[in-house]
């Protein structure tokens, strides 16, 4: 993925079990992705979203679109994430992607370099589309290749009982308060620690969610304005110094160098750590496994004195359009529908996620109250994940992870680790 990614802008910011569902209007017929004799167009839409939503709910949203646009038919190709990923990677390489595709931000750079997905900036202009309503766009060299439709954020989770036991009256809002709370929680028992930090290099997303999140929470960036690595900046150094201070204070749960995200969640659920940065998707899981656990979610702590908006890590259901489809205008009409205020609110509600249209308001009446709390945090800050759109994002995380582990085990300094990471990233991000 050699195309240079621009910095993700402050615009934002993861089958039905049966597999494939076709939503096709009754009149006319056409080949997949083709034009029928009556002039209607069929668009294929490959994604994993339908596999993660309540049965039949996604179909209703699609049916509403086809009712409003009888000349455009949608053929849903729904499969689990792993299957969809493999299908789309293969299709991108052979230029045979379906007309509309669900995208993970980690694929965007590669697909764009291959010419497999189209620049949607031009389509927005041609359609007189108001891009100001979008919570985010993922751009490469100033061109939009993915729009996040639903976002899943990673706030701070705190165990209220452990905070109370440790004598901490308020949820930390600054790094200093966080370190103090983590120390006090760690002093309550030999098996209890203040924070969990998953750094397993096999799945290095802890660098994204648990390390760089501290940088973004204070409005910082790991990239220059033109998308180049900026890992030796004072902001990044301050972030790694802070993580090191937590490690030096002995407040991080043991085993972090081989810990995976699921291990972190398990430790929090079992009351072994007082605080963690985690996906909202785990709220229901935690409550199911430990119904009596009293916890809440909060914005990530920022550097002392910071008063700006706070970045919050996120993953998203992104959407893109095939560069080879003959029906780009119709495809964008469908994309714009999914991102319309009403449809986007419905989709976000059933997904327990947050909308890609910043004017959409999910219905939290049947959700856990913590989702509403998290949505308020989301609206007050901005979604931040600078790995989205970068070439070989997982490899970048892994190389940084390796250097961070050397820091935490006392084998190198923060300055040396950041210098080596800067060198490594510079050769990967052209």
């Amino acid at each position: 993925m050699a195309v240079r990614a621009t910095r993700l802008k402050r615009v934002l910011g993861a089958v039905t079990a049966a597999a494939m569902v076709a939503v096709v209007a009754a009149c006319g017929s056409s080949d997949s992705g083709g034009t029928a004799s009556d002039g209607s167009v069929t668009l294929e839409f490959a994604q994993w979203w339908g596999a993660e939503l309540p049965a039949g709910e996604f179909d209703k949203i699609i049916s509403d679109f086809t009712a409003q646009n009888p000349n455009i038919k949608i053929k849903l190709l729904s499969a689990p994430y792993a299957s969809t990923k493999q299908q789309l990677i293969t299709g991108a390489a052979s230029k045979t992607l379906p007309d509309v595709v669900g995208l993970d931000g980690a694929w965007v750079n590669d697909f764009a370099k291959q010419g497999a997905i189209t620049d949607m900036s031009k389509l927005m202009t041609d359609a007189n589309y108001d891009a100001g309503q979008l919570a985010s766009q993922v751009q490469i060299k100033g061109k939009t290749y993915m729009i996040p439709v639903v976002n899943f954020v990673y706030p701070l989770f705190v165990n209220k009982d452990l905070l109370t036991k440790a004598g901490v009256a308020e949820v930390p809002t600054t790094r200093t308060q966080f370190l103090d709370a983590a120390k006090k929680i760690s002093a309550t028992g030999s098996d209890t620690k203040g924070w969990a930090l998953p750094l397993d290099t096999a799945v290095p997303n802890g660098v994204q969610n648990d390390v760089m999140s501290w940088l973004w929470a204070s409005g910082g960036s790991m990239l220059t304005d033109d998308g180049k690595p900026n890992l030796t900046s004072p902001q990044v150094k301050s972030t790694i110094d802070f993580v090191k201070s937590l490690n030096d204070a002995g407040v991080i749960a043991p085993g972090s160098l081989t810990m995976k995200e699921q291990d972190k969640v398990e430790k929090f659920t079992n009351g072994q750590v007082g605080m963690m940065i985690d996906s909202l998707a785990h709220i229901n899981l935690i409550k199911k496994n430990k119904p009596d656990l009293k916890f809440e979610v909060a914005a990530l702590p920022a550097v002392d004195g910071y008063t700006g908006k706070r970045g919050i890590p996120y993953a998203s259901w992104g959407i893109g359009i095939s560069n080879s489809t003959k029906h780009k205008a119709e495809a964008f009409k469908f994309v714009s529908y999914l991102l319309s205020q009403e449809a986007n609110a419905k989709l976000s509600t059933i997904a327990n996620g947050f909308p890609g249209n910043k004017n959409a308001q999910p219905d939290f009446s049947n959700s856990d109250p913590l989702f509403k709390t998290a949505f308020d945090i989301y609206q007050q800050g901005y979604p931040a994940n600078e790995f989205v759109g970068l070439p070989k994002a997982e490899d970048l995380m892994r190389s940084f992870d390796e250097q961070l582990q050397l820091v935490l085990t006392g084998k190198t300094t923060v300055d040396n680790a950041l210098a080596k990471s800067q060198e490594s990233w510079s050769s990967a991000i052209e």
Side-chain angles (χ1 to χ4, degrees), residues 327-356:
H327 307 292
K328 288 187 174 70
E330 292 87 351
F332 184 73
K333 191 168 189 178
F334 174 59
V335 168
S336 62
Y337 165 77
L338 291 179
L339 285 155
S340 65
Q341 187 171 342
E342 182 179 356
N344 201 235
K346 288 180 181 177
L347 183 55
S348 300
T349 297
I350 61 177
N352 280 327
F354 298 154

PDB file of all heavy atoms in Angstrom, residues 327-356:
ATOM      1  N   HIS A 327     -22.160   2.007 -12.873  1.00  0.00           N
ATOM      2  CA  HIS A 327     -23.299   2.741 -12.304  1.00  0.00           C
ATOM      3  C   HIS A 327     -22.872   3.534 -11.075  1.00  0.00           C
ATOM      4  O   HIS A 327     -23.454   3.420 -10.001  1.00  0.00           O
ATOM      5  CB  HIS A 327     -24.423   1.758 -11.946  1.00  0.00           C
ATOM      6  CG  HIS A 327     -24.818   0.859 -13.076  1.00  0.00           C
ATOM      7  ND1 HIS A 327     -25.449   1.315 -14.212  1.00  0.00           N
ATOM      8  CD2 HIS A 327     -24.637  -0.476 -13.248  1.00  0.00           C
ATOM      9  CE1 HIS A 327     -25.659   0.293 -15.041  1.00  0.00           C
ATOM     10  NE2 HIS A 327     -25.168  -0.797 -14.479  1.00  0.00           N
ATOM     11  N   LYS A 328     -21.862   4.364 -11.248  1.00  0.00           N
ATOM     12  CA  LYS A 328     -21.331   5.119 -10.107  1.00  0.00           C
ATOM     13  C   LYS A 328     -22.359   6.103  -9.547  1.00  0.00           C
ATOM     14  O   LYS A 328     -22.466   6.276  -8.327  1.00  0.00           O
ATOM     15  CB  LYS A 328     -20.058   5.870 -10.502  1.00  0.00           C
ATOM     16  CG  LYS A 328     -18.838   4.974 -10.709  1.00  0.00           C
ATOM     17  CD  LYS A 328     -17.587   5.822 -10.925  1.00  0.00           C
ATOM     18  CE  LYS A 328     -16.318   4.969 -10.979  1.00  0.00           C
ATOM     19  NZ  LYS A 328     -16.247   4.147 -12.196  1.00  0.00           N
ATOM     20  N   ALA A 329     -23.103   6.762 -10.392  1.00  0.00           N
ATOM     21  CA  ALA A 329     -24.086   7.748  -9.911  1.00  0.00           C
ATOM     22  C   ALA A 329     -25.163   7.065  -9.077  1.00  0.00           C
ATOM     23  O   ALA A 329     -25.547   7.555  -8.005  1.00  0.00           O
ATOM     24  CB  ALA A 329     -24.706   8.494 -11.089  1.00  0.00           C
ATOM     25  N   GLU A 330     -25.651   5.919  -9.582  1.00  0.00           N
ATOM     26  CA  GLU A 330     -26.665   5.183  -8.830  1.00  0.00           C
ATOM     27  C   GLU A 330     -26.083   4.629  -7.522  1.00  0.00           C
ATOM     28  O   GLU A 330     -26.752   4.631  -6.478  1.00  0.00           O
ATOM     29  CB  GLU A 330     -27.221   4.026  -9.662  1.00  0.00           C
ATOM     30  CG  GLU A 330     -28.044   4.451 -10.860  1.00  0.00           C
ATOM     31  CD  GLU A 330     -27.200   4.712 -12.105  1.00  0.00           C
ATOM     32  OE1 GLU A 330     -25.951   4.725 -12.003  1.00  0.00           O
ATOM     33  OE2 GLU A 330     -27.788   4.891 -13.186  1.00  0.00           O
ATOM     34  N   ALA A 331     -24.834   4.181  -7.583  1.00  0.00           N
ATOM     35  CA  ALA A 331     -24.178   3.663  -6.381  1.00  0.00           C
ATOM     36  C   ALA A 331     -24.042   4.760  -5.329  1.00  0.00           C
ATOM     37  O   ALA A 331     -24.285   4.531  -4.131  1.00  0.00           O
ATOM     38  CB  ALA A 331     -22.802   3.092  -6.724  1.00  0.00           C
ATOM     39  N   PHE A 332     -23.685   5.973  -5.786  1.00  0.00           N
ATOM     40  CA  PHE A 332     -23.556   7.050  -4.804  1.00  0.00           C
ATOM     41  C   PHE A 332     -24.923   7.461  -4.260  1.00  0.00           C
ATOM     42  O   PHE A 332     -25.034   7.877  -3.100  1.00  0.00           O
ATOM     43  CB  PHE A 332     -22.839   8.271  -5.383  1.00  0.00           C
ATOM     44  CG  PHE A 332     -22.619   9.327  -4.339  1.00  0.00           C
ATOM     45  CD1 PHE A 332     -21.658   9.147  -3.352  1.00  0.00           C
ATOM     46  CD2 PHE A 332     -23.402  10.474  -4.301  1.00  0.00           C
ATOM     47  CE1 PHE A 332     -21.479  10.081  -2.350  1.00  0.00           C
ATOM     48  CE2 PHE A 332     -23.233  11.416  -3.306  1.00  0.00           C
ATOM     49  CZ  PHE A 332     -22.268  11.219  -2.333  1.00  0.00           C
ATOM     50  N   LYS A 333     -25.948   7.350  -5.063  1.00  0.00           N
ATOM     51  CA  LYS A 333     -27.295   7.647  -4.566  1.00  0.00           C
ATOM     52  C   LYS A 333     -27.648   6.706  -3.424  1.00  0.00           C
ATOM     53  O   LYS A 333     -28.246   7.118  -2.415  1.00  0.00           O
ATOM     54  CB  LYS A 333     -28.317   7.514  -5.700  1.00  0.00           C
ATOM     55  CG  LYS A 333     -29.695   8.067  -5.342  1.00  0.00           C
ATOM     56  CD  LYS A 333     -30.573   8.192  -6.577  1.00  0.00           C
ATOM     57  CE  LYS A 333     -31.848   8.947  -6.254  1.00  0.00           C
ATOM     58  NZ  LYS A 333     -32.709   9.131  -7.441  1.00  0.00           N
ATOM     59  N   PHE A 334     -27.257   5.447  -3.548  1.00  0.00           N
ATOM     60  CA  PHE A 334     -27.495   4.467  -2.487  1.00  0.00           C
ATOM     61  C   PHE A 334     -26.643   4.787  -1.256  1.00  0.00           C
ATOM     62  O   PHE A 334     -27.123   4.754  -0.117  1.00  0.00           O
ATOM     63  CB  PHE A 334     -27.193   3.061  -2.999  1.00  0.00           C
ATOM     64  CG  PHE A 334     -27.277   1.994  -1.951  1.00  0.00           C
ATOM     65  CD1 PHE A 334     -28.456   1.775  -1.245  1.00  0.00           C
ATOM     66  CD2 PHE A 334     -26.179   1.203  -1.656  1.00  0.00           C
ATOM     67  CE1 PHE A 334     -28.534   0.783  -0.269  1.00  0.00           C
ATOM     68  CE2 PHE A 334     -26.242   0.217  -0.697  1.00  0.00           C
ATOM     69  CZ  PHE A 334     -27.424   0.003   0.003  1.00  0.00           C
ATOM     70  N   VAL A 335     -25.375   5.137  -1.496  1.00  0.00           N
ATOM     71  CA  VAL A 335     -24.487   5.503  -0.387  1.00  0.00           C
ATOM     72  C   VAL A 335     -25.053   6.709   0.357  1.00  0.00           C
ATOM     73  O   VAL A 335     -25.103   6.734   1.601  1.00  0.00           O
ATOM     74  CB  VAL A 335     -23.064   5.813  -0.903  1.00  0.00           C
ATOM     75  CG1 VAL A 335     -22.220   6.471   0.185  1.00  0.00           C
ATOM     76  CG2 VAL A 335     -22.388   4.535  -1.385  1.00  0.00           C
ATOM     77  N   SER A 336     -25.489   7.708  -0.389  1.00  0.00           N
ATOM     78  CA  SER A 336     -26.017   8.916   0.246  1.00  0.00           C
ATOM     79  C   SER A 336     -27.290   8.613   1.030  1.00  0.00           C
ATOM     80  O   SER A 336     -27.563   9.242   2.060  1.00  0.00           O
ATOM     81  CB  SER A 336     -26.266  10.017  -0.783  1.00  0.00           C
ATOM     82  OG  SER A 336     -27.237   9.624  -1.723  1.00  0.00           O
ATOM     83  N   TYR A 337     -28.063   7.626   0.577  1.00  0.00           N
ATOM     84  CA  TYR A 337     -29.259   7.217   1.324  1.00  0.00           C
ATOM     85  C   TYR A 337     -28.861   6.621   2.674  1.00  0.00           C
ATOM     86  O   TYR A 337     -29.445   6.967   3.716  1.00  0.00           O
ATOM     87  CB  TYR A 337     -30.080   6.203   0.519  1.00  0.00           C
ATOM     88  CG  TYR A 337     -31.110   5.488   1.354  1.00  0.00           C
ATOM     89  CD1 TYR A 337     -32.299   6.112   1.709  1.00  0.00           C
ATOM     90  CD2 TYR A 337     -30.877   4.194   1.810  1.00  0.00           C
ATOM     91  CE1 TYR A 337     -33.243   5.468   2.502  1.00  0.00           C
ATOM     92  CE2 TYR A 337     -31.808   3.538   2.596  1.00  0.00           C
ATOM     93  CZ  TYR A 337     -32.986   4.175   2.953  1.00  0.00           C
ATOM     94  OH  TYR A 337     -33.904   3.541   3.740  1.00  0.00           O
ATOM     95  N   LEU A 338     -27.881   5.713   2.678  1.00  0.00           N
ATOM     96  CA  LEU A 338     -27.459   5.092   3.940  1.00  0.00           C
ATOM     97  C   LEU A 338     -26.904   6.124   4.916  1.00  0.00           C
ATOM     98  O   LEU A 338     -26.924   5.916   6.128  1.00  0.00           O
ATOM     99  CB  LEU A 338     -26.408   4.011   3.674  1.00  0.00           C
ATOM    100  CG  LEU A 338     -26.876   2.749   2.958  1.00  0.00           C
ATOM    101  CD1 LEU A 338     -25.703   1.791   2.752  1.00  0.00           C
ATOM    102  CD2 LEU A 338     -27.997   2.060   3.737  1.00  0.00           C
ATOM    103  N   LEU A 339     -26.416   7.242   4.355  1.00  0.00           N
ATOM    104  CA  LEU A 339     -25.860   8.302   5.192  1.00  0.00           C
ATOM    105  C   LEU A 339     -26.840   9.458   5.415  1.00  0.00           C
ATOM    106  O   LEU A 339     -26.479  10.480   5.993  1.00  0.00           O
ATOM    107  CB  LEU A 339     -24.565   8.826   4.576  1.00  0.00           C
ATOM    108  CG  LEU A 339     -23.379   7.876   4.762  1.00  0.00           C
ATOM    109  CD1 LEU A 339     -22.328   8.075   3.692  1.00  0.00           C
ATOM    110  CD2 LEU A 339     -22.792   8.042   6.158  1.00  0.00           C
ATOM    111  N   SER A 340     -28.076   9.288   4.963  1.00  0.00           N
ATOM    112  CA  SER A 340     -29.095  10.305   5.206  1.00  0.00           C
ATOM    113  C   SER A 340     -29.473  10.293   6.685  1.00  0.00           C
ATOM    114  O   SER A 340     -29.305   9.289   7.381  1.00  0.00           O
ATOM    115  CB  SER A 340     -30.330  10.047   4.342  1.00  0.00           C
ATOM    116  OG  SER A 340     -30.960   8.834   4.717  1.00  0.00           O
ATOM    117  N   GLN A 341     -29.973  11.394   7.168  1.00  0.00           N
ATOM    118  CA  GLN A 341     -30.227  11.539   8.601  1.00  0.00           C
ATOM    119  C   GLN A 341     -31.130  10.434   9.147  1.00  0.00           C
ATOM    120  O   GLN A 341     -30.820   9.807  10.162  1.00  0.00           O
ATOM    121  CB  GLN A 341     -30.846  12.912   8.882  1.00  0.00           C
ATOM    122  CG  GLN A 341     -30.991  13.235  10.360  1.00  0.00           C
ATOM    123  CD  GLN A 341     -31.411  14.684  10.592  1.00  0.00           C
ATOM    124  OE1 GLN A 341     -31.274  15.527   9.714  1.00  0.00           O
ATOM    125  NE2 GLN A 341     -31.919  14.973  11.772  1.00  0.00           N
ATOM    126  N   GLU A 342     -32.238  10.168   8.469  1.00  0.00           N
ATOM    127  CA  GLU A 342     -33.202   9.189   8.975  1.00  0.00           C
ATOM    128  C   GLU A 342     -32.674   7.757   8.879  1.00  0.00           C
ATOM    129  O   GLU A 342     -32.706   6.997   9.859  1.00  0.00           O
ATOM    130  CB  GLU A 342     -34.517   9.297   8.205  1.00  0.00           C
ATOM    131  CG  GLU A 342     -35.600   8.342   8.691  1.00  0.00           C
ATOM    132  CD  GLU A 342     -36.909   8.483   7.937  1.00  0.00           C
ATOM    133  OE1 GLU A 342     -37.008   9.384   7.070  1.00  0.00           O
ATOM    134  OE2 GLU A 342     -37.839   7.697   8.203  1.00  0.00           O
ATOM    135  N   ALA A 343     -32.173   7.366   7.703  1.00  0.00           N
ATOM    136  CA  ALA A 343     -31.697   5.990   7.522  1.00  0.00           C
ATOM    137  C   ALA A 343     -30.470   5.721   8.386  1.00  0.00           C
ATOM    138  O   ALA A 343     -30.314   4.635   8.954  1.00  0.00           O
ATOM    139  CB  ALA A 343     -31.376   5.734   6.047  1.00  0.00           C
ATOM    140  N   ASN A 344     -29.590   6.712   8.495  1.00  0.00           N
ATOM    141  CA  ASN A 344     -28.379   6.531   9.278  1.00  0.00           C
ATOM    142  C   ASN A 344     -28.698   6.386  10.765  1.00  0.00           C
ATOM    143  O   ASN A 344     -28.057   5.600  11.476  1.00  0.00           O
ATOM    144  CB  ASN A 344     -27.425   7.698   9.041  1.00  0.00           C
ATOM    145  CG  ASN A 344     -25.993   7.375   9.394  1.00  0.00           C
ATOM    146  OD1 ASN A 344     -25.373   8.072  10.180  1.00  0.00           O
ATOM    147  ND2 ASN A 344     -25.449   6.295   8.834  1.00  0.00           N
ATOM    148  N   ALA A 345     -29.699   7.104  11.243  1.00  0.00           N
ATOM    149  CA  ALA A 345     -30.129   6.979  12.631  1.00  0.00           C
ATOM    150  C   ALA A 345     -30.672   5.579  12.893  1.00  0.00           C
ATOM    151  O   ALA A 345     -30.369   4.954  13.920  1.00  0.00           O
ATOM    152  CB  ALA A 345     -31.182   8.033  12.964  1.00  0.00           C
ATOM    153  N   LYS A 346     -31.466   5.062  11.955  1.00  0.00           N
ATOM    154  CA  LYS A 346     -32.027   3.711  12.115  1.00  0.00           C
ATOM    155  C   LYS A 346     -30.918   2.658  12.143  1.00  0.00           C
ATOM    156  O   LYS A 346     -30.905   1.771  13.004  1.00  0.00           O
ATOM    157  CB  LYS A 346     -32.996   3.399  10.958  1.00  0.00           C
ATOM    158  CG  LYS A 346     -34.310   4.147  11.005  1.00  0.00           C
ATOM    159  CD  LYS A 346     -35.187   3.757   9.815  1.00  0.00           C
ATOM    160  CE  LYS A 346     -36.500   4.506   9.815  1.00  0.00           C
ATOM    161  NZ  LYS A 346     -37.324   4.170   8.616  1.00  0.00           N
ATOM    162  N   LEU A 347     -29.992   2.768  11.189  1.00  0.00           N
ATOM    163  CA  LEU A 347     -28.920   1.782  11.101  1.00  0.00           C
ATOM    164  C   LEU A 347     -28.036   1.834  12.345  1.00  0.00           C
ATOM    165  O   LEU A 347     -27.655   0.789  12.891  1.00  0.00           O
ATOM    166  CB  LEU A 347     -28.094   2.027   9.836  1.00  0.00           C
ATOM    167  CG  LEU A 347     -26.957   1.035   9.546  1.00  0.00           C
ATOM    168  CD1 LEU A 347     -27.475  -0.396   9.505  1.00  0.00           C
ATOM    169  CD2 LEU A 347     -26.270   1.387   8.232  1.00  0.00           C
ATOM    170  N   SER A 348     -27.725   3.026  12.805  1.00  0.00           N
ATOM    171  CA  SER A 348     -26.885   3.172  13.993  1.00  0.00           C
ATOM    172  C   SER A 348     -27.575   2.594  15.223  1.00  0.00           C
ATOM    173  O   SER A 348     -26.934   1.978  16.079  1.00  0.00           O
ATOM    174  CB  SER A 348     -26.557   4.649  14.232  1.00  0.00           C
ATOM    175  OG  SER A 348     -25.871   5.194  13.147  1.00  0.00           O
ATOM    176  N   THR A 349     -28.875   2.788  15.307  1.00  0.00           N
ATOM    177  CA  THR A 349     -29.636   2.286  16.456  1.00  0.00           C
ATOM    178  C   THR A 349     -29.590   0.768  16.528  1.00  0.00           C
ATOM    179  O   THR A 349     -29.298   0.194  17.576  1.00  0.00           O
ATOM    180  CB  THR A 349     -31.099   2.771  16.387  1.00  0.00           C
ATOM    181  OG1 THR A 349     -31.125   4.202  16.474  1.00  0.00           O
ATOM    182  CG2 THR A 349     -31.915   2.195  17.526  1.00  0.00           C
ATOM    183  N   ILE A 350     -29.864   0.097  15.408  1.00  0.00           N
ATOM    184  CA  ILE A 350     -29.903  -1.367  15.447  1.00  0.00           C
ATOM    185  C   ILE A 350     -28.505  -1.971  15.571  1.00  0.00           C
ATOM    186  O   ILE A 350     -28.349  -3.105  16.012  1.00  0.00           O
ATOM    187  CB  ILE A 350     -30.632  -1.961  14.219  1.00  0.00           C
ATOM    188  CG1 ILE A 350     -29.925  -1.580  12.909  1.00  0.00           C
ATOM    189  CG2 ILE A 350     -32.084  -1.535  14.203  1.00  0.00           C
ATOM    190  CD1 ILE A 350     -30.567  -2.210  11.675  1.00  0.00           C
ATOM    191  N   ALA A 351     -27.469  -1.171  15.228  1.00  0.00           N
ATOM    192  CA  ALA A 351     -26.094  -1.658  15.324  1.00  0.00           C
ATOM    193  C   ALA A 351     -25.453  -1.339  16.672  1.00  0.00           C
ATOM    194  O   ALA A 351     -24.327  -1.768  16.944  1.00  0.00           O
ATOM    195  CB  ALA A 351     -25.249  -1.053  14.206  1.00  0.00           C
ATOM    196  N   ASN A 352     -26.153  -0.572  17.527  1.00  0.00           N
ATOM    197  CA  ASN A 352     -25.563  -0.084  18.781  1.00  0.00           C
ATOM    198  C   ASN A 352     -24.273   0.679  18.504  1.00  0.00           C
ATOM    199  O   ASN A 352     -23.276   0.565  19.218  1.00  0.00           O
ATOM    200  CB  ASN A 352     -25.285  -1.236  19.762  1.00  0.00           C
ATOM    201  CG  ASN A 352     -26.537  -1.676  20.502  1.00  0.00           C
ATOM    202  OD1 ASN A 352     -27.417  -0.869  20.783  1.00  0.00           O
ATOM    203  ND2 ASN A 352     -26.626  -2.956  20.798  1.00  0.00           N
ATOM    204  N   GLY A 353     -24.309   1.469  17.428  1.00  0.00           N
ATOM    205  CA  GLY A 353     -23.158   2.277  17.058  1.00  0.00           C
ATOM    206  C   GLY A 353     -23.565   3.726  16.914  1.00  0.00           C
ATOM    207  O   GLY A 353     -24.711   4.106  17.211  1.00  0.00           O
ATOM    208  N   PHE A 354     -22.646   4.541  16.435  1.00  0.00           N
ATOM    209  CA  PHE A 354     -22.893   5.969  16.301  1.00  0.00           C
ATOM    210  C   PHE A 354     -22.890   6.355  14.830  1.00  0.00           C
ATOM    211  O   PHE A 354     -22.121   5.815  14.032  1.00  0.00           O
ATOM    212  CB  PHE A 354     -21.853   6.765  17.069  1.00  0.00           C
ATOM    213  CG  PHE A 354     -21.883   6.497  18.556  1.00  0.00           C
ATOM    214  CD1 PHE A 354     -20.752   6.677  19.318  1.00  0.00           C
ATOM    215  CD2 PHE A 354     -23.031   6.050  19.180  1.00  0.00           C
ATOM    216  CE1 PHE A 354     -20.763   6.423  20.685  1.00  0.00           C
ATOM    217  CE2 PHE A 354     -23.072   5.800  20.544  1.00  0.00           C
ATOM    218  CZ  PHE A 354     -21.933   5.996  21.299  1.00  0.00           C
ATOM    219  N   PRO A 355     -23.725   7.320  14.461  1.00  0.00           N
ATOM    220  CA  PRO A 355     -23.967   7.602  13.047  1.00  0.00           C
ATOM    221  C   PRO A 355     -22.825   8.295  12.323  1.00  0.00           C
ATOM    222  O   PRO A 355     -22.070   9.076  12.897  1.00  0.00           O
ATOM    223  CB  PRO A 355     -25.204   8.506  13.082  1.00  0.00           C
ATOM    224  CG  PRO A 355     -25.204   9.107  14.439  1.00  0.00           C
ATOM    225  CD  PRO A 355     -24.602   8.085  15.345  1.00  0.00           C
ATOM    226  N   GLY A 356     -22.724   8.001  11.018  1.00  0.00           N
ATOM    227  CA  GLY A 356     -21.778   8.677  10.155  1.00  0.00           C
ATOM    228  C   GLY A 356     -22.293  10.031   9.710  1.00  0.00           C
ATOM    229  O   GLY A 356     -21.535  10.860   9.243  1.00  0.00           O
TER     230      GLY A 356
END
